[in-house]
mmCIF file of all heavy atoms in Angstrom:
data_model
loop_
_atom_site.group_PDB
_atom_site.id
_atom_site.type_symbol
_atom_site.label_atom_id
_atom_site.label_comp_id
_atom_site.label_asym_id
_atom_site.label_seq_id
_atom_site.Cartn_x
_atom_site.Cartn_y
_atom_site.Cartn_z
ATOM 1 N N SER A 1 93.970 100.817 68.771
ATOM 2 C CA SER A 1 92.896 99.835 68.919
ATOM 3 C C SER A 1 92.370 99.863 70.347
ATOM 4 O O SER A 1 93.099 100.206 71.279
ATOM 5 C CB SER A 1 93.362 98.431 68.552
ATOM 6 O OG SER A 1 94.295 97.952 69.499
ATOM 7 N N LEU A 2 91.107 99.480 70.480
ATOM 8 C CA LEU A 2 90.464 99.478 71.791
ATOM 9 C C LEU A 2 89.495 98.314 71.858
ATOM 10 O O LEU A 2 88.723 98.083 70.926
ATOM 11 C CB LEU A 2 89.709 100.801 72.002
ATOM 12 C CG LEU A 2 88.861 100.912 73.260
ATOM 13 C CD1 LEU A 2 89.732 100.820 74.509
ATOM 14 C CD2 LEU A 2 88.094 102.223 73.247
ATOM 15 N N ARG A 3 89.567 97.557 72.952
ATOM 16 C CA ARG A 3 88.648 96.450 73.205
ATOM 17 C C ARG A 3 87.870 96.758 74.475
ATOM 18 O O ARG A 3 88.450 97.234 75.455
ATOM 19 C CB ARG A 3 89.430 95.138 73.356
ATOM 20 C CG ARG A 3 89.997 94.654 72.038
ATOM 21 C CD ARG A 3 91.141 93.673 72.211
ATOM 22 N NE ARG A 3 92.275 94.143 73.014
ATOM 23 C CZ ARG A 3 93.171 95.061 72.630
ATOM 24 N NH1 ARG A 3 93.064 95.630 71.444
ATOM 25 N NH2 ARG A 3 94.174 95.424 73.404
ATOM 26 N N PHE A 4 86.577 96.456 74.460
ATOM 27 C CA PHE A 4 85.734 96.698 75.625
ATOM 28 C C PHE A 4 84.477 95.850 75.519
ATOM 29 O O PHE A 4 84.222 95.209 74.495
ATOM 30 C CB PHE A 4 85.388 98.183 75.762
ATOM 31 C CG PHE A 4 84.699 98.784 74.569
ATOM 32 C CD1 PHE A 4 83.323 98.943 74.545
ATOM 33 C CD2 PHE A 4 85.428 99.208 73.464
ATOM 34 C CE1 PHE A 4 82.684 99.495 73.447
ATOM 35 C CE2 PHE A 4 84.795 99.770 72.368
ATOM 36 C CZ PHE A 4 83.422 99.915 72.357
ATOM 37 N N VAL A 5 83.686 95.831 76.573
ATOM 38 C CA VAL A 5 82.435 95.085 76.616
ATOM 39 C C VAL A 5 81.297 96.098 76.616
ATOM 40 O O VAL A 5 81.315 97.063 77.383
ATOM 41 C CB VAL A 5 82.365 94.191 77.879
ATOM 42 C CG1 VAL A 5 81.033 93.466 77.956
ATOM 43 C CG2 VAL A 5 83.516 93.205 77.886
ATOM 44 N N SER A 6 80.306 95.874 75.737
ATOM 45 C CA SER A 6 79.189 96.812 75.635
ATOM 46 C C SER A 6 77.994 96.122 74.990
ATOM 47 O O SER A 6 78.129 95.050 74.399
ATOM 48 C CB SER A 6 79.602 98.022 74.782
ATOM 49 O OG SER A 6 78.581 98.993 74.753
ATOM 50 N N ALA A 7 76.838 96.743 75.116
ATOM 51 C CA ALA A 7 75.644 96.294 74.392
ATOM 52 C C ALA A 7 75.678 96.941 73.011
ATOM 53 O O ALA A 7 76.101 98.084 72.865
ATOM 54 C CB ALA A 7 74.389 96.706 75.138
ATOM 55 N N LEU A 8 75.254 96.212 71.979
ATOM 56 C CA LEU A 8 75.237 96.750 70.624
ATOM 57 C C LEU A 8 74.004 97.628 70.415
ATOM 58 O O LEU A 8 73.016 97.510 71.149
ATOM 59 C CB LEU A 8 75.250 95.606 69.611
ATOM 60 C CG LEU A 8 76.524 94.769 69.570
ATOM 61 C CD1 LEU A 8 76.409 93.664 68.536
ATOM 62 C CD2 LEU A 8 77.740 95.622 69.293
ATOM 63 N N PRO A 9 74.017 98.505 69.404
ATOM 64 C CA PRO A 9 72.853 99.353 69.130
ATOM 65 C C PRO A 9 71.603 98.515 68.846
ATOM 66 O O PRO A 9 71.689 97.412 68.294
ATOM 67 C CB PRO A 9 73.267 100.138 67.880
ATOM 68 C CG PRO A 9 74.742 100.073 67.846
ATOM 69 C CD PRO A 9 75.126 98.784 68.501
ATOM 70 N N GLN A 10 70.444 99.022 69.213
ATOM 71 C CA GLN A 10 69.182 98.307 69.019
ATOM 72 C C GLN A 10 68.915 98.011 67.551
ATOM 73 O O GLN A 10 68.243 97.041 67.226
ATOM 74 C CB GLN A 10 68.034 99.106 69.605
ATOM 75 C CG GLN A 10 68.050 99.135 71.115
ATOM 76 C CD GLN A 10 66.878 99.915 71.682
ATOM 77 O OE1 GLN A 10 66.125 100.549 70.954
ATOM 78 N NE2 GLN A 10 66.731 99.872 72.996
ATOM 79 N N ALA A 11 69.440 98.827 66.660
ATOM 80 C CA ALA A 11 69.200 98.628 65.224
ATOM 81 C C ALA A 11 69.761 97.292 64.743
ATOM 82 O O ALA A 11 69.286 96.744 63.750
ATOM 83 C CB ALA A 11 69.819 99.775 64.425
ATOM 84 N N LEU A 12 70.756 96.749 65.426
ATOM 85 C CA LEU A 12 71.329 95.461 65.032
ATOM 86 C C LEU A 12 70.508 94.296 65.562
ATOM 87 O O LEU A 12 70.764 93.149 65.212
ATOM 88 C CB LEU A 12 72.773 95.347 65.520
ATOM 89 C CG LEU A 12 73.772 96.280 64.848
ATOM 90 C CD1 LEU A 12 75.140 96.147 65.486
ATOM 91 C CD2 LEU A 12 73.846 96.017 63.357
ATOM 92 N N ALA A 13 69.517 94.572 66.411
ATOM 93 C CA ALA A 13 68.601 93.561 66.961
ATOM 94 C C ALA A 13 69.360 92.396 67.591
ATOM 95 O O ALA A 13 69.083 91.240 67.320
ATOM 96 C CB ALA A 13 67.634 93.070 65.887
ATOM 97 N N ARG A 14 70.351 92.717 68.396
ATOM 98 C CA ARG A 14 71.129 91.697 69.094
ATOM 99 C C ARG A 14 71.147 92.063 70.572
ATOM 100 O O ARG A 14 71.656 93.097 70.955
ATOM 101 C CB ARG A 14 72.556 91.632 68.569
ATOM 102 C CG ARG A 14 72.616 91.245 67.114
ATOM 103 C CD ARG A 14 74.028 91.416 66.601
ATOM 104 N NE ARG A 14 74.016 91.271 65.160
ATOM 105 C CZ ARG A 14 74.663 90.317 64.517
ATOM 106 N NH1 ARG A 14 75.359 89.436 65.174
ATOM 107 N NH2 ARG A 14 74.621 90.253 63.209
ATOM 108 N N GLY A 15 70.602 91.190 71.393
ATOM 109 C CA GLY A 15 70.570 91.451 72.820
ATOM 110 C C GLY A 15 71.826 90.960 73.507
ATOM 111 O O GLY A 15 72.627 90.228 72.939
ATOM 112 N N GLY A 16 71.988 91.360 74.742
ATOM 113 C CA GLY A 16 73.111 90.899 75.548
ATOM 114 C C GLY A 16 74.358 91.744 75.381
ATOM 115 O O GLY A 16 74.364 92.760 74.690
ATOM 116 N N LEU A 17 75.404 91.283 76.032
ATOM 117 C CA LEU A 17 76.683 91.990 75.987
ATOM 118 C C LEU A 17 77.591 91.388 74.919
ATOM 119 O O LEU A 17 77.536 90.193 74.645
ATOM 120 C CB LEU A 17 77.377 91.907 77.349
ATOM 121 C CG LEU A 17 76.689 92.664 78.485
ATOM 122 C CD1 LEU A 17 77.438 92.427 79.788
ATOM 123 C CD2 LEU A 17 76.601 94.147 78.176
ATOM 124 N N TYR A 18 78.439 92.244 74.368
ATOM 125 C CA TYR A 18 79.371 91.828 73.314
ATOM 126 C C TYR A 18 80.766 92.355 73.612
ATOM 127 O O TYR A 18 80.920 93.440 74.174
ATOM 128 C CB TYR A 18 78.910 92.358 71.950
ATOM 129 C CG TYR A 18 77.744 91.592 71.394
ATOM 130 C CD1 TYR A 18 76.453 91.851 71.825
ATOM 131 C CD2 TYR A 18 77.930 90.589 70.459
ATOM 132 C CE1 TYR A 18 75.386 91.133 71.336
ATOM 133 C CE2 TYR A 18 76.869 89.866 69.959
ATOM 134 C CZ TYR A 18 75.598 90.143 70.409
ATOM 135 O OH TYR A 18 74.551 89.413 69.919
ATOM 136 N N ASP A 19 81.766 91.568 73.221
ATOM 137 C CA ASP A 19 83.137 92.043 73.220
ATOM 138 C C ASP A 19 83.296 92.845 71.934
ATOM 139 O O ASP A 19 83.112 92.317 70.832
ATOM 140 C CB ASP A 19 84.121 90.866 73.220
ATOM 141 C CG ASP A 19 84.074 90.076 74.518
ATOM 142 O OD1 ASP A 19 83.840 90.688 75.572
ATOM 143 O OD2 ASP A 19 84.268 88.849 74.468
ATOM 144 N N VAL A 20 83.603 94.119 72.082
ATOM 145 C CA VAL A 20 83.675 95.029 70.938
ATOM 146 C C VAL A 20 85.126 95.443 70.748
ATOM 147 O O VAL A 20 85.850 95.663 71.723
ATOM 148 C CB VAL A 20 82.787 96.275 71.186
ATOM 149 C CG1 VAL A 20 82.854 97.231 70.013
ATOM 150 C CG2 VAL A 20 81.348 95.865 71.460
ATOM 151 N N GLU A 21 85.541 95.531 69.492
ATOM 152 C CA GLU A 21 86.894 95.993 69.193
ATOM 153 C C GLU A 21 86.849 97.069 68.120
ATOM 154 O O GLU A 21 86.272 96.872 67.048
ATOM 155 C CB GLU A 21 87.783 94.848 68.716
ATOM 156 C CG GLU A 21 89.207 95.307 68.465
ATOM 157 C CD GLU A 21 90.160 94.191 68.078
ATOM 158 O OE1 GLU A 21 89.710 93.046 67.942
ATOM 159 O OE2 GLU A 21 91.351 94.484 67.905
ATOM 160 N N LEU A 22 87.440 98.209 68.435
ATOM 161 C CA LEU A 22 87.598 99.310 67.491
ATOM 162 C C LEU A 22 89.067 99.331 67.098
ATOM 163 O O LEU A 22 89.940 99.378 67.968
ATOM 164 C CB LEU A 22 87.206 100.641 68.155
ATOM 165 C CG LEU A 22 87.457 101.904 67.346
ATOM 166 C CD1 LEU A 22 86.520 101.965 66.147
ATOM 167 C CD2 LEU A 22 87.270 103.141 68.213
ATOM 168 N N HIS A 23 89.356 99.243 65.789
ATOM 169 C CA HIS A 23 90.750 99.249 65.365
ATOM 170 C C HIS A 23 90.896 99.836 63.965
ATOM 171 O O HIS A 23 89.947 99.919 63.194
ATOM 172 C CB HIS A 23 91.351 97.837 65.424
ATOM 173 C CG HIS A 23 90.657 96.853 64.534
ATOM 174 N ND1 HIS A 23 89.516 96.211 64.889
ATOM 175 C CD2 HIS A 23 90.955 96.402 63.293
ATOM 176 C CE1 HIS A 23 89.127 95.415 63.916
ATOM 177 N NE2 HIS A 23 89.989 95.502 62.930
ATOM 178 N N TRP A 24 92.124 100.217 63.686
ATOM 179 C CA TRP A 24 92.492 100.793 62.390
ATOM 180 C C TRP A 24 93.337 99.764 61.667
ATOM 181 O O TRP A 24 94.360 99.312 62.158
ATOM 182 C CB TRP A 24 93.260 102.086 62.631
ATOM 183 C CG TRP A 24 93.876 102.700 61.429
ATOM 184 C CD1 TRP A 24 93.313 102.884 60.208
ATOM 185 C CD2 TRP A 24 95.193 103.255 61.341
ATOM 186 N NE1 TRP A 24 94.193 103.512 59.372
ATOM 187 C CE2 TRP A 24 95.358 103.752 60.042
ATOM 188 C CE3 TRP A 24 96.236 103.371 62.223
ATOM 189 C CZ2 TRP A 24 96.524 104.359 59.617
ATOM 190 C CZ3 TRP A 24 97.397 103.985 61.804
ATOM 191 C CH2 TRP A 24 97.530 104.472 60.507
ATOM 192 N N THR A 25 92.874 99.368 60.477
ATOM 193 C CA THR A 25 93.584 98.389 59.659
ATOM 194 C C THR A 25 93.788 98.980 58.276
ATOM 195 O O THR A 25 92.816 99.246 57.574
ATOM 196 C CB THR A 25 92.760 97.084 59.542
ATOM 197 O OG1 THR A 25 92.462 96.611 60.842
ATOM 198 C CG2 THR A 25 93.519 96.027 58.780
ATOM 199 N N GLY A 26 95.035 99.163 57.886
ATOM 200 C CA GLY A 26 95.308 99.743 56.564
ATOM 201 C C GLY A 26 94.735 101.141 56.477
ATOM 202 O O GLY A 26 95.147 102.028 57.200
ATOM 203 N N ASP A 27 93.741 101.320 55.631
ATOM 204 C CA ASP A 27 93.100 102.627 55.513
ATOM 205 C C ASP A 27 91.633 102.561 55.949
ATOM 206 O O ASP A 27 90.813 103.352 55.517
ATOM 207 C CB ASP A 27 93.221 103.159 54.085
ATOM 208 C CG ASP A 27 92.420 102.341 53.089
ATOM 209 O OD1 ASP A 27 92.052 101.201 53.407
ATOM 210 O OD2 ASP A 27 92.154 102.861 51.984
ATOM 211 N N ARG A 28 91.298 101.632 56.827
ATOM 212 C CA ARG A 28 89.916 101.416 57.262
ATOM 213 C C ARG A 28 89.802 101.484 58.785
ATOM 214 O O ARG A 28 90.645 100.951 59.500
ATOM 215 C CB ARG A 28 89.417 100.045 56.813
ATOM 216 C CG ARG A 28 89.671 99.765 55.350
ATOM 217 C CD ARG A 28 88.401 99.813 54.591
ATOM 218 N NE ARG A 28 88.596 99.361 53.216
ATOM 219 C CZ ARG A 28 88.346 100.125 52.177
ATOM 220 N NH1 ARG A 28 87.918 101.332 52.339
ATOM 221 N NH2 ARG A 28 88.511 99.663 50.960
#
């Protein structure tokens, strides 16, 4: 798992910074 702060892709139409978490849960 990895946590970091980043801006989301423009396609999500959300401005500003976000706390992002990438993780593996079960088979996902």
